[in-house]
Amino acid sequence: MELTRRKMLAIGSGTLAIAALPGLPAFASATDDAIAAFTGGADLVEGGVTINAPEIAENGNTVPIDVSAPGAVSIALFAAGNPVPNVATFTFGPLAASQSAATRIRLAGTQDVIAVAQMADGSFAKASANVKVTIGGCGG
Amino acid sequence: MASGVKPRVKVPKTAAAGEAITIKTLISHTMESGQRKDSDGNPIPRSIINRFVAAFDGETVIDVALEPAISTNPYFEFQATVPASGEFTFTWYDDDGDVYEAAQSISVT
């Protein structure tokens, strides 16, 4: 078979489409699975959680993040675009003055950071923030 | 990573009873994520601190489960209530089984 430029383009774009299709949903579901593992499949409501993250992070190796959720028992952080979406889980004890914490996290690239809080009554709330990352922080 | 780990905590020396104080902690640790490769292309095995607990006289303030996505030299800032004079204890648990501890006492005026 003679390969013309037109045929090459058709083959190329076809392969790309096949490669891209299963890739994207798998990526999203890893985060959904991680969140479901934390919530036990319970419904998430928006609000009640505040997440503070920089809009643009120059260095993905240390991105300062702080979360707070008044009345929460624990807060879990997820990074939807990381190879492993789980970031950290904060569990608050009786002497925590406020249900808030700040830390520094790694982000592989521009993505959403999601905070899911488990409230004292057993419900779950979530908030997310988009962070643009100039240099990714996962090495390799 | 068992060498060169140095915990640092910042707790006010005094507080009023029931006051909310801010605590900052930092521990030097490479937090090797397990995602990186060395110059020969072999993956570098994961070696991180996987749990951090802050407590006041045995009562938990915060208990954090850490994943590889926490930055090198894990830093935490949180708030605690001080019911009486006592001691804050901070404990970090390493993947390799090491436990790093720090303590800081506070007096209620």
Side-chain angles (χ1 to χ4, degrees):
Chain A
M1 187 174 87
E2 196 187 337
L3 279 179
T4 62
R5 185 168 175 271
R6 184 168 303 206
K7 274 182 187 159
M8 275 303 280
L9 279 175
I11 294 167
S13 60
T15 327
L16 261 183
I18 293 163
L21 273 179
L24 282 175
F27 219 47
S29 76
T31 310
D32 290 345
D33 286 351
I35 294 175
F38 177 68
T39 61
D43 286 341
L44 295 169
V45 288
E46 294 277 343
V49 191
T50 319
I51 177 164
N52 265 326
E55 237 169 74
I56 297 174
E58 281 184 10
N59 184 353
N61 267 314
T62 56
V63 183
I65 297 272
D66 78 76
V67 286
S68 77
V73 178
S74 65
I75 304 177
L77 273 178
F78 302 95
N82 273 10
V84 180
N86 301 57
V87 174
T89 310
F90 303 97
T91 308
F92 300 100
L95 284 181
S98 67
Q99 280 69 37
S100 66
T103 187
R104 295 171 188 155
I105 69 171
R106 288 182 178 132
L107 294 176
T110 300
Q111 58 180 287
D112 283 333
V113 178
I114 303 160
V116 179
Q118 180 178 16
M119 296 304 181
D121 61 4
S123 66
F124 290 89
K126 87 168 221 194
S128 66
N130 188 266
V131 182
K132 289 187 171 63
V133 177
T134 320
I135 304 167
C138 277
Chain B
M1 157 144 178
S3 63
V5 174
K6 188 183 172 203
R8 268 168 269 202
V9 295
K10 199 168 189 181
V11 181
K13 293 212 165 42
T14 59
E19 188 188 341
I21 58 161
T22 301
I23 296 176
K24 295 176 182 179
T25 71
L26 183 79
I27 186 164
S28 51
H29 194 287
T30 49
M31 294 292 279
E32 190 56 65
S33 68
Q35 301 283 344
R36 299 199 308 150
K37 293 189 170 102
D38 64 17
S39 50
D40 301 327
N42 304 312
I44 304 172
R46 168 185 141 153
S47 169
I48 67 166
I49 289 173
N50 56 43
R51 187 169 172 229
F52 165 68
V53 179
F56 180 77
D57 285 350
E59 269 202 278
T60 309
V61 176
I62 195 168
D63 185 336
V64 188
L66 286 76
E67 306 288 343
I70 296 290
S71 297
T72 305
N73 303 341
Y75 163 83
F76 292 107
E77 181 181 334
F78 50 92
Q79 295 196 305
T81 314
V82 191
S85 297
E87 192 178 56
F88 280 102
T89 52
F90 306 92
T91 319
W92 291 263
Y93 299 87
D94 198 308
D95 266 353
D96 64 15
D98 282 357
V99 175
Y100 316 112
E101 284 175 327
Q104 180 96 44
S105 53
I106 185 167
S107 57
V108 164
T109 49

